[in-house]
Structures are given as structure tokens and as C-alpha cells.
Amino acid sequence: MNVYAFIIPIVLLLLIAEIIYCVWSKNGQYPFQDTITNIATGIANQCVNLAVAFFVYKWYGWLAQFIPWEIPNTWYFLLLLLLLQDFLFYWFHRVGHTINIFWAAHMPHHSSEELNLSVGIRASFTQRIFQFLFFDWVLVIVGYTPEAIYAMAAVHLLLAYWHHTTLIKKMGWFEKYFVTPSHHRVHHGVNPQYIDKNFSEFLIIWDKLFGSFEKEKEEVCYGVTHPPRTWDPIFINFQYWKQLWDDAVAAPFWWDKFRLWFMPLGWRPRGLESEKKDRIGYTRAEQVKYVSNQFTNLKPYLIFQVGAALAYLWIVVNLKFPLTAVDRVVMSIGIFMMIISWGGLMQARPWSIYLEMIRLLYMSVTCIVVLHANEMAELTGWEAIVALLTAGGSLLYLIFIISKPELEPS
């Protein structure tokens, strides 16, 4: 079982409920372009999680054979696993804000200039693999099974999801022990006093014990010190990786090319030093949020496509379906084509129209072929008809409604 397939419906219900409330109250908490970017990133991330699960079960399974004991999955041992996971994640999270290569894996989650539940699924493509590769393997040594560790990581992620909101204010005594939205708003802040604070995800006591706690006082300004200024999830996920790579290539000394990746944020190789100080931060009054022009009549189109993409994703990630690894990779390619084209459409890039047409044909054909090959649908069955009607209708909308020279603000 893919535990993420279990928590996705919970996440979606909470997300939809908050969106409905925010639209009804007209509080401006869900700008369209940012929200679509967050959802697109979250959809693609579920495909990445399949590869992460494969890595965890293989690598942790190999490691577990050398451990002469196994901790049973009783409620009290699972509670202990949650606490151990939370402690390890605190340090993983803190290192993620300290060391270049770990910040590269974590930065995309902070890149939104908003904070709502859709930001909670704007997760980095590389963070989860870094967590399992560098930190959570310790739990195998303790005696927990790979299945229990992977499942608890997902539960821990779900427990931290509800923190990404501005609707819940202070929570009284609860804040003394547990992480709340107020704590996590501070963590996402680029206000000078908020940078690198409140790393905890479940118990706030870790921040209080290790000196990284900060209360929410001033209005929080969300984002990163170098905003990506784009809606392209690929660029957002690899922006800092590219910065590090460019510095490594340009560094005059070989030792600097290597150690750059493991140095603190702001460190530059010899010969590339800059007098400009980094990570100073800024307030909400100083922030100019990124907004772009997009093609006319795009909103209803993308809202419909999100629904279609979620149905497609459910087929890809549901391990109860008899799809092969190759099938899932082939279908995942369509998802990555999709999120790239969505980013382009929201920035009125002409090429994005053509990419969107190609990916619609690709996803509909691969869906029909894969389902038929695994005896899950007939070539002339209702599944094929729905896929073709969805693609066909979308193509007609692109040709006759969206593909116009006029632009409109988001």
C-alpha cells in the first residue's frame, strides 16, 4: 500500500474546505496563479514519492537484515516512533536551513509568497529522499521496519499539514507543547527576526530546548530572500540547485567546487565573494509579490484540468492497481509535461499552448493504453471514452477560447 494514496483524500478535503471558505469570505488568501502552482507541484511530487518509496524499501530493507531485533507495531511503539521521527525531523529541518545542499532540497517549499493549505503541498521534489537518505535510516538501526518508518513519515507529514494556514490564530495552552499555525507562520517568514526559527513539526518543545523558538508578533511576510518570480514548478524546484552548480563551475579552486555544497548558506567560493550580505530579510510593507499576465479565459480551463489531473494521478500512485514500474514512469512523464505547460500558460508563453496540446494527447493515449494492457479497461470502454472526450474538449477550448493574443491579469 502507498500510504500517500491514503492521506491524499484527507489533504484534498481540508484544502477544498479552506478554498471554499476563503472564496466565500473574499479574504484574498488564495491567489489563483500561486494556488495552481502549489497544486501542480503537489501532484508531481506524488509521482516522485513512488520512487522514494522504492528507495526506502530497498535500501532500508537491505539495512534491516543486519539488525538482530525488530520492534513490533504496537500502539506504544508507534507513538515512540512518532516522537523519534519528530526529533529527527527537527534536526533535518534545521540543517535544511543551514547547509547549501540541504537548503536546495528544502527551499521550494518556502518559495510561495502566500501561506495557506495549498502551500502545504508545495513540497520539494528532492526533500523527501534527503530525509530518508541522511536521517531516518537511524530508525532502522533502532529496530523499526522500513514499512513502519515510511508510513510514519507520511503520518508526520499529515500532522504538519494543517499548520499552513492563516485562518487559525493563537491556540492558548496548546501552543506550549505542540506546533500550531502561529508557530509555523513564523517559520515561513522572511522578516529578519523570523528567519530560521520554529523548525519543529509536531512538538514545539524542540525549538524551545535548542534555542530556535520565536513567537509570532509582527505581521509575517512569506517567501524567500531570492523569490523565483515564476510559476514554473521545475524552475522553482531547481533554482537553488542551479545557483550552486553555477558557483561550483565558476569557482577557481577544486576544493571550493566540492565544499561549496556542504558550506553554510551565504558562503561563496574564493574569487566569487560578494560584498552583498545575504538573508537579511524584509517585511510585508517592503514586499512586491509576483503576478504575471496570463492567457484570456484560462481560469476555468485550469480548474477543470486540476480535477482531471487528480483522477489521472490516482491511477498512477495507487499501488492496488496492477501497473508496472514502467507504466507508472510513462504516465508520470505526462504529469511533468502538464505542470510545465501550466506554468507557461499562466505567464502567457506561446510555446505553452503547443506543449499543453501535446501533453493532453500524450496523457489520454497513455492512460487508455496502460489501463488496457493491465486489463483494467477496454479500448472501447467508458474509461477510453471519458479520456478521449476530456482531451478532445480541452483541445477545442485551447484552440478556440484560450489561444488568443489578448492577455488578462491573474
Side-chain angles (χ1 to χ4, degrees):
M1 175 183 176
N2 181 358
V3 68
Y4 287 93
F6 172 76
I7 70 172
I8 286 174
I10 301 174
V11 168
L12 287 177
L13 285 174
L14 292 173
L15 175 59
I16 292 170
E18 187 178 60
I19 290 175
I20 291 173
Y21 173 80
C22 290
V23 172
W24 173 77
S25 62
K26 299 179 181 178
N27 60 16
Q29 295 294 311
Y30 274 87
F32 177 76
Q33 293 174 333
D34 186 78
T35 302
I36 293 294
T37 302
N38 297 338
I39 293 173
T41 304
I43 289 172
N45 218 320
Q46 296 312 308
C47 300
V48 176
N49 282 333
L50 287 175
V52 173
F54 177 81
F55 166 81
V56 170
Y57 292 142
K58 289 296 182 180
W59 157 237
Y60 282 20
W62 175 85
L63 185 61
Q65 67 180 322
F66 301 106
I67 310 304
W69 59 84
E70 182 178 298
I71 296 179
N73 291 330
T74 57
W75 71 266
Y76 44 86
F77 279 125
L78 289 176
L79 179 59
L80 177 61
L81 175 59
L82 174 61
L83 298 179
L84 291 172
Q85 180 88 248
D86 196 48
F87 177 73
L88 285 175
F89 192 87
Y90 168 84
W91 287 106
F92 170 64
H93 201 175
R94 187 163 180 168
V95 170
H97 283 252
T98 308
I99 305 299
N100 273 330
I101 193 170
F102 287 94
W103 176 241
H106 182 53
M107 185 278 287
H109 178 59
H110 282 264
S111 60
S112 174
E113 295 174 316
E114 309 292 335
L115 191 71
N116 51 54
L117 290 181
S118 75
V119 177
I121 59 177
R122 186 177 178 139
S124 162
F125 296 157
T126 51
Q127 175 167 314
R128 200 58 51 192
I129 190 67
F130 269 53
Q131 177 185 349
F132 288 114
L133 181 62
F134 292 100
F135 282 81
D136 281 6
W137 61 269
V138 174
L139 298 172
V140 180
I141 305 299
V142 172
Y144 286 101
T145 64
E147 293 79 11
I149 296 169
Y150 186 73
M152 189 56 70
V155 171
H156 186 256
L157 198 63
L158 181 62
L159 290 174
Y161 175 66
W162 71 283
H163 302 154
H164 298 83
T165 184
T166 60
L167 300 183
I168 301 174
K169 307 305 179 183
K170 300 288 187 176
M171 298 185 68
W173 67 267
F174 191 82
E175 295 193 355
K176 293 182 179 180
Y177 311 102
F178 300 97
V179 178
T180 66
S182 177
H183 296 143
H184 205 64
R185 286 194 289 270
V186 166
H187 178 70
H188 275 261
V190 289
N191 312 57
Q193 70 273 31
Y194 292 158
I195 291 179
D196 297 340
K197 299 295 183 180
N198 295 1
F199 300 107
S200 298
E201 291 284 287
F202 177 54
L203 297 176
I204 196 62
I205 59 174
W206 309 125
D207 283 295
K208 295 181 177 181
L209 280 173
F210 300 115
S212 54
F213 177 72
E214 182 72 29
K215 287 185 178 180
E216 181 186 22
K217 296 177 182 178
E218 177 184 302
E219 180 186 8
V220 183
C221 178
Y222 305 110
V224 290
T225 56
H226 294 84
R229 315 296 289 179
T230 181
W231 305 122
D232 178 7
I234 303 300
F235 181 88
I236 291 170
N237 267 269
F238 295 100
Q239 174 189 357
Y240 199 73
W241 288 102
K242 183 180 184 301
Q243 291 178 27
L244 292 177
W245 176 258
D246 289 344
D247 270 2
V249 171
F253 301 95
W254 282 101
W255 172 234
D256 288 351
K257 292 177 184 291
F258 171 77
R259 66 173 175 157
L260 163 70
W261 303 88
F262 306 97
M263 294 299 286
L265 273 65
W267 183 88
R268 300 296 303 282
R270 288 168 290 175
L272 301 180
E273 298 94 341
S274 173
E275 294 182 0
K276 182 180 177 181
K277 294 184 178 179
D278 198 11
R279 294 171 67 78
I280 297 174
Y282 47 89
T283 65
R284 180 66 190 90
E286 300 169 298
Q287 184 183 45
V288 179
K289 293 183 179 180
Y290 176 66
V291 179
S292 64
N293 285 331
Q294 62 187 29
F295 286 111
T296 306
N297 302 316
L298 184 63
K299 288 183 182 180
Y301 175 82
L302 285 185
I303 291 171
F304 174 79
Q305 293 304 321
V306 165
L310 290 173
Y312 185 90
L313 177 68
W314 183 250
I315 298 172
V316 178
V317 302
N318 195 332
L319 297 184
K320 293 183 178 180
F321 294 153
L323 274 61
T324 67
V326 173
D327 291 334
R328 298 181 195 276
V329 169
V330 168
M331 295 186 73
S332 295
I333 291 172
I335 287 178
F336 279 90
M337 292 169 61
M338 175 189 75
I339 67 171
I340 294 171
S341 66
W342 286 3
L345 289 169
M346 290 189 294
Q347 295 172 99
R349 303 287 191 252
W351 56 261
S352 63
I353 293 285
Y354 302 105
L355 179 59
E356 179 71 358
M357 292 178 176
I358 293 170
R359 78 90 185 166
L360 284 168
L361 294 172
Y362 179 90
M363 291 178 72
S364 60
V365 171
T366 53
C367 183
I368 294 170
V369 171
V370 167
L371 291 180
H372 177 69
N374 290 277
E375 299 181 348
M376 296 173 60
E378 296 295 331
L379 289 177
T380 55
W382 68 267
E383 298 91 347
I385 294 173
V386 169
L388 292 175
L389 286 177
T390 300
S394 299
L395 284 170
L396 291 175
Y397 194 95
L398 281 170
I399 295 170
F400 295 107
I401 307 297
I402 286 183
S403 56
K404 296 179 179 181
E406 297 86 11
L407 304 177
E408 65 176 356
S410 168

